[in-house]
Amino acid sequence: MDGHDDDEPPRFLIITGLLSERACAEGEGLVPICSGADTEGLRAALERTQGFALAGVVSFGIAGGLDPALHPGDVVVGSAVVADGVRYETSAELSGILSEGLAAAGGKIASGVIVGVEAPVLDPRAKAALRSKTGAVAVDMETHIAADFAARRRLPFAVVRVINDPAARALPPLAQTAVTPDGGVDLKAVFRDLAREPRQIGNLILAGLDFCKSSATLGRCGRLLGPLLSLGLPEL
């Protein structure tokens, strides 16, 4: 544990990418941080994380599917994280508690490697290539940064990611510009990109349907996150 005040109970740092993800991860014992899809901004924010005791770090939110067997709304509890040739192992204790607890609440729970990237992976061919190269089942932009932070601070680390866009689904190019710095959605940018490239509308509709499924699961997982992690404290 990374502590500063012996009288203060340790809390878990929850790393998210979007405001909607952060909203699902607010509760007693949790300190959520939202990257806003800004990887360098997230790294800087983590370096400023001081002043309270940390029990561990959890990467929480949606992810792109790389394993064709995974569908929107399926939950991946990460067994490890890879990025740029580096591999980070997750805490077996925390991962086990999260897997068992989330499985009891219903829905599909899978275990597998998460690969971290610095920019969205939009194309199914790029997803397939990434899976072939890394063996990962899912991809996102925050988990590798969270894993590196946890490793440097020698903190237990876990990953709970809900599949949003499946392996065969292409995301519209506007996905690269639609997120605001605080993790919200820039509707003006969305409409501007649609006006410039209206052929994106089909993929945007499919992406919206996927997001509804993943958001429902994420909300359910978020309500259990604090209680489940508190169960893991004696094991750390």
Side-chain angles (χ1 to χ4, degrees):
M1 295 185 185
D2 182 27
H4 295 80
D5 185 348
D6 292 337
D7 297 326
E8 181 183 351
R11 290 179 281 177
F12 286 89
L13 194 63
I14 312 298
I15 311 302
T16 68
L18 303 173
L19 283 177
S20 59
E21 297 169 344
R22 175 176 177 155
C24 294
E26 293 180 341
E28 186 176 354
L30 307 180
V31 180
I33 289 183
C34 180
S35 75
D38 178 357
T39 54
E40 290 307 315
L42 176 58
R43 289 184 174 95
L46 287 173
E47 292 309 312
R48 296 192 296 269
T49 302
Q50 298 179 17
F52 54 89
L54 288 177
V57 180
V58 179
S59 174
F60 178 78
I62 59 174
L66 300 182
D67 182 348
L70 296 176
H71 303 286
D74 290 347
V75 179
V76 177
V77 176
S79 58
V81 182
V82 295
D84 295 326
V86 180
R87 182 183 177 97
Y88 305 90
E89 300 297 330
T90 57
S91 163
E93 292 79 12
L94 283 182
S95 298
I97 289 171
L98 289 166
S99 293
E100 291 181 19
L102 296 175
K108 180 177 178 178
I109 310 294
S111 176
V113 174
I114 309 291
V115 59
V117 294
E118 298 291 313
V121 182
L122 307 180
D123 184 74
R125 288 172 295 183
K127 291 182 181 181
L130 194 57
R131 175 164 171 76
S132 177
K133 179 180 179 181
T134 64
V137 300
V139 57
D140 71 62
M141 294 173 58
E142 297 84 36
T143 296
H144 62 303
I145 299 172
D148 179 70
F149 173 80
R152 287 187 288 108
R153 295 291 183 93
R154 297 184 179 179
L155 290 166
F157 177 63
V159 183
V160 176
R161 288 280 164 168
V162 178
I163 298 300
N164 183 62
D165 47 297
R169 181 90 75 232
L171 286 174
L174 60 79
Q176 293 181 295
T177 58
V179 180
T180 62
D182 66 355
V185 177
D186 188 340
L187 291 178
K188 288 184 178 179
V190 170
F191 290 128
R192 184 173 60 247
D193 283 356
L194 281 176
R196 184 166 55 242
E197 191 63 43
R199 289 178 296 178
Q200 297 181 83
I201 189 70
N203 283 338
L204 183 62
I205 291 172
L206 293 174
L209 294 173
D210 291 340
F211 188 68
C212 286
K213 295 177 183 177
S214 63
S215 294
T217 302
L218 202 66
R220 185 172 70 248
C221 292
R223 289 189 290 272
L224 297 170
L225 197 58
L228 289 175
L229 290 173
S230 68
L231 292 175
L233 278 175
E235 306 295 326
L236 302 180

